[in-house]
Amino acid sequence: MPEATIQSTTLADAGPLYLASLSPDTRRVQTPEVNRFLRWFGPSRRMAELRGVDIERFVTEQATATDAEARLRVLRSFLAFAKKVGITSENLSVHVRLRRASGGGSSAEMIAEERLDVTAEGLAVLQGELDALRGQRPEIAETLRAAMADKDFRENAPLDAAREQQAHVEARIRELETMLKRAHVVANDGGNLNVRLGSHVRLHDMQTDRDVFYILVGPGEVNAAEGKISVASPVGRALLDHTVGDEVEVSAPSKTFRFRIESIEA
């Protein structure tokens, strides 16, 4: 790719380019995480401006998520693709490393011991996603069988794609099963005026003078299109336990945001 193209390619350009290279099922699974990465840095930021320290900062932020390993696996693939097609001159995927928990037990064992607070709606969403992924198993198995029928394994792109999809689906199934075992439904009865899991919060952005609306949900329920943000996200953590009239600050790599809580609903 010409140097001028490398210098001008933005995250908004690179994300769709990567997703277009995936199979439809893999694209559907990976799109939320690619979009999360784009939003965090800003779609207009140029890929050539990203540095290893930026990636490590993002990885540190995501490490608290219950599905951190799956998220970072997608990020590694995206950044490796960017290097492969010439969007970046450096292979930034080498900076995507998930820090393992210290101590005698494995990270999976430690995660399994923690309670995961979710809303009733979020629990249903997690169960629905798990059921849908389990339902994909027969189709993936058939795709693998068809791809393996081609004896030329040297350049068997369909086989590679099917194996990648199967690995991703099975990893997500294991994560969802673990999350559901830890899930604890938290009801918001409206009697608490402080922000907590399940709260519908209207904020006034002090810098843009505009109102924004968020619903605080568990990590497995995040949906940017519906305004659902995780209580573990920077904004979610900043809002927790605050009440109407409080002003909160949220630090991001590019700037610091300041919000005033206008209303809280269950």
Coordinates of all heavy atoms in Angstrom, one line a residue, residues 40-41 52-65 68 71-72 75 95-99 232 234 237:
W40 N -13.2 4.0 21.2 CA -12.3 4.3 22.3 C -11.2 5.3 21.8 O -10.9 6.3 22.5 CB -11.6 3.1 22.8 CG -11.1 3.2 24.2 CD1 -11.9 3.0 25.4 CD2 -9.8 3.4 24.7 NE1 -11.0 3.2 26.5 CE2 -9.8 3.4 26.1 CE3 -8.6 3.7 24.0 CZ2 -8.6 3.6 26.8 CZ3 -7.4 3.9 24.7 CH2 -7.5 3.9 26.1
F41 N -10.7 5.1 20.6 CA -9.6 6.0 20.1 C -10.2 7.1 19.3 O -9.5 8.2 19.1 CB -8.6 5.2 19.3 CG -7.6 4.4 20.1 CD1 -7.8 3.0 20.2 CD2 -6.6 5.0 20.8 CE1 -6.9 2.3 21.0 CE2 -5.7 4.3 21.5 CZ -5.9 2.9 21.7
G52 N 2.5 1.6 20.4 CA 2.4 0.5 21.3 C 1.8 0.8 22.6 O 1.0 0.1 23.2
V53 N 2.2 2.0 23.2 CA 1.8 2.4 24.5 C 0.3 2.7 24.4 O -0.4 2.5 25.5 CB 2.5 3.7 24.9 CG1 2.2 4.9 24.0 CG2 2.2 4.0 26.4
D54 N -0.3 3.2 23.3 CA -1.7 3.4 23.2 C -2.5 2.1 23.3 O -3.5 2.0 23.9 CB -2.0 4.1 21.8 CG -1.4 5.4 21.7 OD1 -1.3 6.2 22.7 OD2 -0.9 5.7 20.6
I55 N -2.0 1.1 22.6 CA -2.6 -0.3 22.6 C -2.6 -0.9 24.0 O -3.5 -1.4 24.4 CB -1.9 -1.2 21.6 CG1 -1.9 -0.6 20.1 CG2 -2.6 -2.6 21.6 CD1 -3.3 -0.2 19.6
E56 N -1.4 -0.7 24.6 CA -1.3 -1.3 26.0 C -2.2 -0.6 27.0 O -2.8 -1.2 27.9 CB 0.1 -1.2 26.5 CG 1.1 -2.1 25.7 CD 2.6 -1.8 26.0 OE1 2.8 -0.9 26.8 OE2 3.4 -2.4 25.3
R57 N -2.5 0.7 26.8 CA -3.4 1.4 27.6 C -4.8 0.9 27.4 O -5.6 0.7 28.4 CB -3.3 2.9 27.3 CG -4.1 3.8 28.3 CD -4.1 5.2 28.0 NE -2.7 5.7 27.9 CZ -2.1 6.2 26.8 NH1 -2.8 6.3 25.7 NH2 -0.9 6.7 26.9
F58 N -5.2 0.7 26.2 CA -6.5 0.1 25.9 C -6.7 -1.3 26.4 O -7.7 -1.6 27.0 CB -6.7 0.1 24.3 CG -8.0 -0.5 23.9 CD1 -9.2 0.2 23.9 CD2 -8.1 -1.9 23.5 CE1 -10.4 -0.4 23.5 CE2 -9.3 -2.4 23.1 CZ -10.4 -1.7 23.1
V59 N -5.6 -2.1 26.3 CA -5.7 -3.5 26.8 C -5.9 -3.5 28.3 O -6.6 -4.3 28.9 CB -4.4 -4.2 26.4 CG1 -4.3 -5.6 27.2 CG2 -4.3 -4.5 24.9
T60 N -5.2 -2.6 29.0 CA -5.3 -2.5 30.5 C -6.7 -2.1 30.8 O -7.3 -2.6 31.8 CB -4.3 -1.4 31.0 OG1 -3.0 -1.8 30.7 CG2 -4.5 -1.3 32.5
E61 N -7.4 -1.2 30.1 CA -8.7 -0.8 30.3 C -9.7 -2.0 30.2 O -10.7 -2.2 30.9 CB -9.1 0.3 29.4 CG -10.5 0.8 29.6 CD -10.8 1.5 30.9 OE1 -9.8 2.1 31.4 OE2 -11.9 1.5 31.4
Q62 N -9.4 -2.8 29.2 CA -10.3 -3.9 28.9 C -10.1 -5.2 29.8 O -10.9 -6.1 29.8 CB -10.2 -4.4 27.4 CG -10.4 -3.3 26.4 CD -11.8 -2.7 26.5 OE1 -12.8 -3.4 26.5 NE2 -11.9 -1.4 26.6
A63 N -9.0 -5.2 30.5 CA -8.6 -6.4 31.2 C -9.6 -6.7 32.3 O -9.6 -7.8 32.8 CB -7.2 -6.2 31.8
T64 N -10.4 -5.7 32.8 CA -11.3 -6.0 33.8 C -12.6 -6.6 33.3 O -13.4 -7.1 34.2 CB -11.7 -4.7 34.6 OG1 -12.2 -3.7 33.6 CG2 -10.4 -4.1 35.2
A65 N -12.8 -6.6 32.1 CA -14.1 -7.2 31.5 C -14.1 -8.7 31.7 O -13.0 -9.4 31.6 CB -14.2 -6.8 30.0
A68 N -12.6 -10.5 28.6 CA -11.5 -9.8 28.1 C -10.6 -10.6 27.1 O -10.2 -10.1 26.1 CB -10.6 -9.4 29.3
R71 N -12.2 -10.5 23.7 CA -12.1 -9.2 23.1 C -10.7 -8.9 22.6 O -10.5 -8.4 21.5 CB -12.4 -8.1 24.2 CG -13.8 -8.0 24.7 CD -14.0 -6.9 25.6 NE -15.4 -6.7 26.1 CZ -15.9 -5.7 26.8 NH1 -15.0 -4.8 27.2 NH2 -17.1 -5.7 27.1
L72 N -9.7 -9.3 23.4 CA -8.3 -9.1 22.9 C -7.9 -10.0 21.8 O -7.1 -9.6 21.0 CB -7.4 -9.2 24.1 CG -7.6 -8.3 25.3 CD1 -6.6 -8.5 26.4 CD2 -7.6 -6.8 24.8
L75 N -9.0 -8.1 18.8 CA -8.1 -6.9 18.6 C -6.7 -7.4 18.0 O -6.2 -6.7 17.1 CB -7.8 -6.2 19.9 CG -6.8 -5.0 19.9 CD1 -7.3 -4.0 18.9 CD2 -6.7 -4.5 21.3
H95 N 1.5 -5.9 21.1 CA 1.3 -5.2 22.3 C 0.0 -5.6 23.0 O -0.4 -5.1 24.1 CB 1.3 -3.7 22.1 CG 2.5 -3.2 21.5 ND1 3.6 -2.9 22.3 CD2 2.9 -2.8 20.2 CE1 4.6 -2.5 21.6 NE2 4.2 -2.4 20.3
V96 N -0.7 -6.6 22.4 CA -2.0 -7.0 23.0 C -1.7 -8.3 23.8 O -1.6 -9.4 23.3 CB -3.0 -7.4 21.9 CG1 -4.3 -7.8 22.5 CG2 -3.2 -6.2 21.0
R97 N -1.5 -8.0 25.1 CA -1.1 -9.1 26.0 C -2.0 -9.0 27.2 O -2.1 -8.0 27.9 CB 0.3 -9.1 26.4 CG 1.3 -9.3 25.3 CD 2.7 -9.3 25.8 NE 3.1 -8.0 26.3 CZ 3.7 -7.1 25.6 NH1 4.0 -7.3 24.3 NH2 4.1 -5.9 26.1
L98 N -2.7 -10.1 27.5 CA -3.6 -10.1 28.7 C -2.8 -10.5 29.9 O -2.2 -11.6 29.9 CB -4.8 -11.2 28.4 CG -5.8 -11.3 29.6 CD1 -6.5 -10.0 29.7 CD2 -6.8 -12.4 29.3
R99 N -2.8 -9.7 30.9 CA -2.1 -9.9 32.1 C -2.8 -11.0 32.9 O -4.0 -11.0 33.2 CB -2.0 -8.7 33.0 CG -1.2 -7.6 32.4 CD -1.1 -6.4 33.3 NE -0.3 -5.3 32.7 CZ 0.0 -4.2 33.4 NH1 -0.6 -3.9 34.5 NH2 0.7 -3.3 32.8
A232 N -18.5 -1.3 34.4 CA -17.1 -1.4 34.5 C -16.4 -0.4 33.5 O -15.1 -0.3 33.6 CB -16.6 -2.8 34.2
P234 N -15.3 3.3 31.9 CA -14.9 4.6 32.5 C -16.1 5.4 33.0 O -16.1 6.0 34.1 CB -14.0 5.3 31.5 CG -13.4 4.2 30.7 CD -14.5 3.1 30.6
R237 N -18.1 3.6 35.8 CA -17.4 3.6 37.1 C -17.5 5.0 37.7 O -17.7 5.2 38.9 CB -16.0 3.2 37.0 CG -15.7 1.8 36.7 CD -14.3 1.4 37.0 NE -13.3 2.2 36.3 CZ -12.8 1.9 35.1 NH1 -13.2 0.8 34.5 NH2 -11.9 2.7 34.6

